[in-house]
Amino acid sequence: MLLTKKIYGLTTALLCAFSFNVSAEQIEIKFSHVVAENTPKGQMALKFKALVEERLAGKVTVKVFPNSQLFGDNKVLEAMQLGDVQLAAPSLSKFKKYTKKLQVFDLPFLFKDIDAVERFQQGVEGQKLLNSINRKGLQGLGYLHNGMKQLSSSSEMKTPTDLNGKKFRIMSSDVLAAQFHAVDAVAVKKPFSEVFTLLQTKAIDGQENTWSNIYSKKFFEVQDHITESNHGVLDYLVVTSKSFWKSLPKDIRKDVKAALDEAIAYGNGIAAQKSTIDKQKIVDSKRSTIVTLSNEERQQWVEAMKPVWKRFEKQIGKNVINAAIAAN
Ligand code: SIN
């Protein structure tokens, strides 16, 4: 019995070392994401690779897989739990199966801008949320910005009634579903990799995303209208598995974390630039017309969507929502 246990223990240890590619000579970190390389996340991942491979040469290598080449966001966290990938940065809207608390980031019209999001993330409640997925064997290592979301569609949207009956692709978030139901639209949960084709074939009418994603994935080429709604945030949780993180020698873990923090700061700088540059590129392309809402119009959207907050208050926690409000 004791011998069987020992053999089992040894096999598990060997399997872990094998699946994480932790060997005496070299540790390999696979970083999987779904966006293009010319985005805040794509650039952050490449910066992380460069910093790690410069500072930990011969000890750690980083392989970056962009554009859902390795895993889509619906699979990456399961793959991470199994040790098939070590780093990812899914959108905060994609953690529903792992914690309900991160749903705070999806509440419509909660954050007034990305600076408020940053203040919340770096505050006490935001930092606590990095550990909200621990019970599932995952560890949040930091937040990365992309930006505020805009709404694109095949028809013009000025008031909430313009969305009635229209089909919008959403990420796998119940809050986002409720947000569209609040304006009598149909919400369709689909992976990011399918959005362009769904829009192009008119299987759906529209979607919500940041200027950077709308530009880099060419959604603007197949959507006639974009409403600059800034109604929500699309940011990322940089995540690893607890077992991989613990398996790293202490000094290496410290250097990897330092490189990650630097890469995140770099990615955040790119995010700030892209939210104006990519918007301008879309304007210049003349492929989509951009609707800017008047204060009165925007207030109609706020009133239509804000009841969603109450519905999710218990799952998220009132203290978390209040901290987010205070960050404005
Ligand atoms: C991402 O930016 O990682 C994807 C966002 C989405 O699924 O819309």
Side-chain angles (χ1 to χ4, degrees):
M1 180 70 176
L2 195 65
L3 187 66
T4 324
K5 262 192 179 166
K6 272 194 178 154
I7 292 173
Y8 176 75
L10 191 65
T11 318
T12 314
L14 281 173
L15 267 176
C16 282
F18 182 69
S19 56
F20 296 150
N21 276 338
V22 176
S23 70
E25 300 102 48
Q26 195 98 304
I27 296 166
E28 183 182 86
I29 298 178
K30 290 197 196 105
F31 188 158
S32 168
H33 69 80
V34 299
V35 290
E37 288 193 322
N38 61 338
T39 58
K41 184 160 55 181
Q43 290 295 301
M44 171 273 196
L46 293 175
K47 183 74 172 177
F48 172 70
K49 176 181 166 65
L51 290 173
V52 166
E53 292 185 348
E54 176 196 311
R55 294 174 188 171
L56 294 165
K59 295 183 188 163
V60 184
T61 55
V62 179
K63 279 196 182 145
V64 180
F65 299 88
N67 291 312
S68 311
Q69 270 166 19
L70 191 59
F71 296 108
D73 273 341
N74 50 345
K75 285 277 175 287
V76 74
L77 295 175
E78 286 166 29
M80 186 169 277
Q81 287 172 319
L82 294 171
D84 292 337
V85 61
Q86 289 70 45
L87 212 56
S91 143
L92 289 157
S93 313
K94 294 178 179 168
F95 285 86
K96 186 187 89 178
K97 270 174 39 195
Y98 303 87
T99 175
K100 302 277 185 228
K101 294 205 174 293
L102 290 174
Q103 294 182 121
V104 65
F105 290 100
D106 288 337
L107 295 177
F109 296 103
L110 174 58
F111 295 104
K112 80 168 193 250
D113 54 27
I114 209 74
D115 292 340
V117 177
E118 171 73 15
R119 280 191 291 275
F120 171 68
Q121 289 172 347
Q122 300 313 324
V124 178
E125 292 300 333
Q127 288 297 298
K128 273 197 220 159
L129 291 180
L130 293 176
N131 299 325
S132 61
I133 49 177
N134 285 172
R135 281 192 314 155
K136 303 286 183 178
L138 300 173
Q139 179 63 55
L141 296 174
Y143 297 101
L144 172 71
H145 298 313
N146 185 324
M148 302 304 283
K149 287 181 293 185
Q150 322 303 336
L151 268 178
S152 75
S153 166
S154 46
S155 53
E156 193 182 65
M157 299 167 294
K158 275 200 159 160
T159 64
T161 49
D162 294 332
L163 279 75
N164 291 179
K166 299 266 161 40
K167 277 193 210 153
F168 287 86
R169 175 269 175 175
I170 56 164
M171 295 179 272
S172 54
S173 154
D174 291 343
V175 178
L176 297 181
Q179 168 194 277
F180 281 102
H181 295 158
V183 290
D184 292 325
V186 181
V188 191
K189 289 180 184 166
K190 289 285 178 191
F192 188 58
S193 54
E194 292 178 25
V195 181
F196 181 85
T197 309
L198 289 166
L199 294 172
Q200 191 183 36
T201 58
K202 306 223 180 298
I204 53 174
D205 299 293
Q207 62 87 46
E208 54 167 15
N209 233 303
T210 58
W211 290 117
S212 151
N213 280 350
I214 294 172
Y215 177 73
S216 60
K217 286 292 174 189
K218 302 189 189 321
F219 299 161
F220 71 102
E221 293 186 2
V222 286
Q223 293 273 266
D224 291 340
H225 303 273
I226 302 175
T227 297
E228 188 167 27
S229 50
N230 290 310
H231 62 281
V233 60
L234 197 167
D235 266 15
Y236 306 112
L237 185 64
V238 183
V239 63
T240 188
S241 80
K242 276 172 75 181
S243 44
F244 170 69
W245 199 237
K246 274 198 205 140
S247 76
L248 293 176
K250 236 181 175 175
D251 54 334
I252 291 193
R253 194 189 312 144
K254 193 167 151 258
D255 289 346
V256 169
K257 180 67 168 62
L260 196 58
D261 290 344
E262 252 180 85
I264 286 176
Y266 176 78
N268 284 343
I270 305 262
Q273 287 169 18
K274 290 231 163 250
S275 58
T276 46
I277 293 173
D278 287 354
K279 175 185 163 189
Q280 194 53 47
K281 284 180 182 160
I282 294 171
V283 172
D284 295 345
S285 78
K286 299 192 170 44
R287 300 287 288 262
S288 278
T289 53
I290 295 175
V291 170
T292 314
L293 299 175
S294 66
N295 286 343
E296 291 73 29
E297 282 162 349
R298 196 162 193 275
Q299 196 49 35
Q300 288 183 45
W301 292 73
V302 175
E303 274 159 31
M305 290 180 171
K306 212 167 154 189
V308 171
W309 292 22
K310 197 84 207 144
R311 241 186 87 192
F312 290 89
E313 186 180 282
K314 230 177 166 172
Q315 291 180 20
I316 296 168
K318 206 165 171 24
N319 54 327
V320 178
I321 298 178
N322 284 343
I325 295 169
N328 286 312

